[in-house]
Amino acid sequence: MSIPPEIAEIILPDSTLNVVDLSEFTIPPKTNPPDLPALPDTDLFSTQSNLVKSKDNIAFLQGLSMPSLIHIQQVQKRLTNYSSHLPTPNALQSLNYPITPTQNLRLPLWVLDYWRQVYQIVEHQKRWSEAIKWLRNMKSMGAVNMLTEVPWMYRMPIEFGDSVTDLIPLCSEKWLGVAQLDLMVAGLNDKAQKARIHALVQPNHFNQKLIACYRHERDTYLEARSTTFIRKLAEQLVEGSVMLLGMAVAVCITSEGIMLPNHENISNHWCGLIIDIHKHTLRYGDPLGHQPPVELIEIVRWWLHFSFPEPFSVETLSVTKQEDTYSCSILTINALAHGILPAVSLILQGNNSFHVARINELVNAVALLKKQDPKMLATHSNSTNMAAIEARAAFQAKLELGKESSKAAVKSKPEGKEKEKTREKKMYRWQASLDSILGFKQPTDLDDEDLGLSEDSETETTVVDMQDLIDIGTTSTTSALGGRPKKRILDDILQQCYRKPKREKILYRCLGGCGYVFSNRNTARAVRHAVGCHHLPADVRAKAKAYAASKAPSHALLDNNTSENGKDGAVKDLPGAVVVVKKIKLNENSSHATRKANVMEGLVAEARKAGKAKRHQMLDLAIVKLICCAGLPSRVLDLDEWKEAFMTADYTYVPATHAKLEEVQIIGEAEQIQALQIAYLKTQENITISCDGGTTTGRQAYWTLHMSTPGPDRKVYLMDVREATSESHTAVWIKTFVLEVSIRKNLIFRYVRISVKSVESVEAYFIITESVRISVE
């Protein structure tokens, strides 16, 4: 079955779509597809109607993983064979696509043709995506804009090559071949024509024909029909209509020297040759500095001697020295242009000049194509289907869930609570995503406590180029119709987005624009990043620090010791206080003694519960102190022996994993301690601020800021550590650093003494809130 045209124009790119939009066009992923050939025909095909009723509900097709091309071909053959044996023609209406062992999606039969066509697009999209990424890394948005005028299925004129994909190597650091050389030669000839210079640069096929003629047709050169165009070119040289003849010559560099390619040695280098009729010279230039191949000079002199009896002398063609393994083609074309056009200068070495030259050749090639073929028109499309992206994430989650469920069914022993909890979370994630696609609910946030921050639920973070990220609307906390409430602090820190090369995966980037992205809205990882991200606004960082401090083990103990009433109105751990518990429903027919016993039993249970919770919090704090003060690796917490020790001491206590220790407890404890430091410093005067820089073993620069109190009982506090690898550590930067830390922590001092090390001179006076005096040590 063929794809309906009104649907094809949505889920498949038009042939005139420009290559930039093609690189961002949403197509199905190829990861974790179901094994369709493994299903019997009766389970694979169905006579029931499919889910696609119109073009308005096809987004999910772009979110489903495609089977392999071999599997698609196998299913298509089985479909033809199975339908031919049915009593009713065209009885089959849908293809069953397994989501879980018990659930299928009924897809239209033409989805097989859709997947097959997508495989023809994938390679084009991948290559153009890499090319455009390279251009963006080179900060060449002008070239990217030029490519928006190039259709992805455009066939170039024969003199320029074949497919428009011949432009792609120009957007890379790859060795350029014949197709790219011919494109650049065409551009050079166009410039020479505009300058009205009697010059001509021959494409590669002329060089190959001349070499073949010398090797195999020397005796018949003057009469053979196959050499007619070579003889006509020689006539132009004699007539003077062409005074400079250029060639980009492919040569082969071997251990024995440099030579022209043959059946044993293929070409691996480009050099330039200019025949100057007026000066009677052959100017040869090699970016690597080699002498010309002997056979090349013999061939050119042999060809010219029929028209010019005097032999041509050999001279050197000026060319920029090659410093890499892939720029010989660019330098060769530049040398030919410099030798033919006086206004063209040689490429200078350094500062990405070779890359800039490549990009210029790309821009010139596109401009020339537009000039030669005005019919080359490209369309534009906002083809990134966000519903498809969300559908892809949802169905991938359910596929993973289905695999885990099928594995669990064959296990002989029950699973542990941790794995059961992880699977429940995955089901919750999938249901939230699927509800969002269908318009019922919004995806909800993942709590640190729910995830446990174990290895099974670790959130990936990475740093990417901000130009590769595309934001997906806004995430409002009021848009959800149900489910778990969202955390507003995450809305202040994270922005939903996707990455252009991997549009199927929903990401969440830091709103500060630092380039950090997260695989989901995990509070612990987001807050951990926010407390140290200086790209975020100060108020957001303050919220993150307050949230992190609230998760510190010592903060929980502090709450227990300072709060008068608990969650249910209970007075906790105050001397002489009466513990008030929840109301206990008593049987009216019970005796007074029974009622009294029930009340006492409730009081004891509540006291035990409160005592157990406090003991667990004390253990959490003790573990944090032990790991940090003793310098123990946090992975100790995942050892079975560690867990066994606590199980023996208190079977009701479950120690934190190393991930929770690092992501929640240590971060929270650090913020809690600093909050206490700041509270103390606000009561002091004559504070000394010390700044110093250093370098890690990984050669990353950092700066620290300490504040110390005066007097014999001097106390020194570390207030901030700033990563400063990409910064210039000037006096202005240091002042800004000090001001940011002081103002952000709401510290007001009457007198501040700044001690700066590793800086040659700092001459500045500035104001924090009142006059501040700076002295430099």
Side-chain angles (χ1 to χ4, degrees), residues 564-565 569-581 603:
E564 293 185 359
N565 295 298
V571 178
K572 296 185 177 182
D573 301 327
L574 294 178
V578 178
V579 177
V580 181
V581 299
L603 292 172

Side-chain angles (χ1 to χ4, degrees), residues 445 447 449 477 485-491 521 523 547:
D445 302 328
D447 282 336
E449 295 81 2
T477 57
K486 289 191 174 184
K487 294 194 174 181
R488 293 185 180 275
I489 189 172
L490 292 182
D491 291 333
R521 283 170 61 96
T523 311
Y547 181 88

Side-chain angles (χ1 to χ4, degrees), residues 59 122 154 183 358 382 414 478 486 493 602 681 725 729 760 768:
V122 166
Y154 177 69
L183 268 172
R358 274 181 176 247
N382 297 323
T478 60
K486 289 191 174 184
I493 300 173
L681 287 172
T725 303
H729 310 150
E760 294 180 356
I768 295 181

Side-chain angles (χ1 to χ4, degrees), residues 136-165:
R136 285 174 172 153
N137 289 338
M138 293 293 107
K139 311 298 182 184
S140 182
M141 297 309 298
V144 175
N145 292 336
M146 286 286 288
L147 290 178
T148 60
E149 302 178 18
V150 179
W152 75 280
M153 291 189 69
Y154 177 69
R155 289 291 181 182
M156 296 189 295
I158 189 170
E159 61 269 24
F160 296 118
D162 181 22
S163 171
V164 73
T165 55

Side-chain angles (χ1 to χ4, degrees), residues 315-505:
E315 295 182 356
T316 300
L317 176 66
S318 298
V319 60
T320 303
K321 183 179 179 181
Q322 182 179 347
E323 296 182 333
D324 51 38
T325 60
Y326 51 82
S327 293
C328 55
S329 54
I330 294 294
L331 298 178
T332 294
I333 292 297
N334 175 247
L336 293 174
H338 176 69
I340 293 174
L341 301 170
V344 177
S345 59
L346 291 176
I347 298 173
L348 299 177
Q349 293 178 334
N351 295 327
N352 288 328
S353 56
F354 294 176
H355 293 157
V356 173
R358 274 181 176 247
I359 295 171
N360 289 337
E361 291 294 344
L362 170 69
V363 172
N364 293 337
V366 174
L368 185 60
L369 286 173
K370 291 173 59 181
K371 175 184 175 181
Q372 298 292 334
D373 185 8
K375 296 181 180 179
M376 188 186 78
L377 300 176
T379 57
H380 300 259
S381 172
N382 297 323
S383 55
T384 303
N385 192 326
M386 298 319 306
I389 293 175
E390 295 175 359
R392 182 177 303 183
F395 287 117
Q396 288 298 307
K398 189 158 188 180
L399 283 174
E400 294 177 4
L401 180 62
K403 291 179 181 179
E404 287 195 6
S405 299
S406 60
K407 291 179 181 178
V410 297
K411 286 188 176 181
S412 57
K413 59 181 181 179
E415 293 182 332
K417 293 182 179 179
E418 184 176 352
K419 290 189 176 180
E420 182 66 28
K421 189 176 181 181
T422 301
R423 191 163 60 254
E424 290 176 357
K425 288 187 205 83
K426 287 187 176 181
M427 172 64 82
Y428 177 78
R429 289 177 180 170
W430 174 83
Q431 190 62 51
S433 299
L434 189 58
D435 288 345
S436 176
I437 296 164
L438 299 177
F440 298 133
K441 296 180 181 179
Q442 294 293 326
T444 55
D445 302 328
L446 302 175
D447 282 336
D448 316 327
E449 295 81 2
D450 291 338
L451 291 177
L453 289 178
S454 64
E455 287 300 307
D456 294 333
S457 59
E458 188 166 357
T459 304
E460 296 179 1
T461 62
T462 186
V463 181
V464 302
D465 188 346
M466 288 295 295
Q467 294 181 347
D468 291 340
L469 299 178
I470 299 296
D471 290 345
I472 307 174
T474 58
T475 52
S476 172
T477 57
T478 60
S479 60
L481 300 178
R484 178 180 299 162
K486 289 191 174 184
K487 294 194 174 181
R488 293 185 180 275
I489 189 172
L490 292 182
D491 291 333
D492 294 333
I493 300 173
L494 302 180
Q495 167 65 50
Q496 193 177 35
C497 63
Y498 69 92
R499 194 175 180 183
K500 290 179 183 177
K502 299 180 179 179
R503 296 178 304 280
E504 70 277 2
K505 185 175 179 61

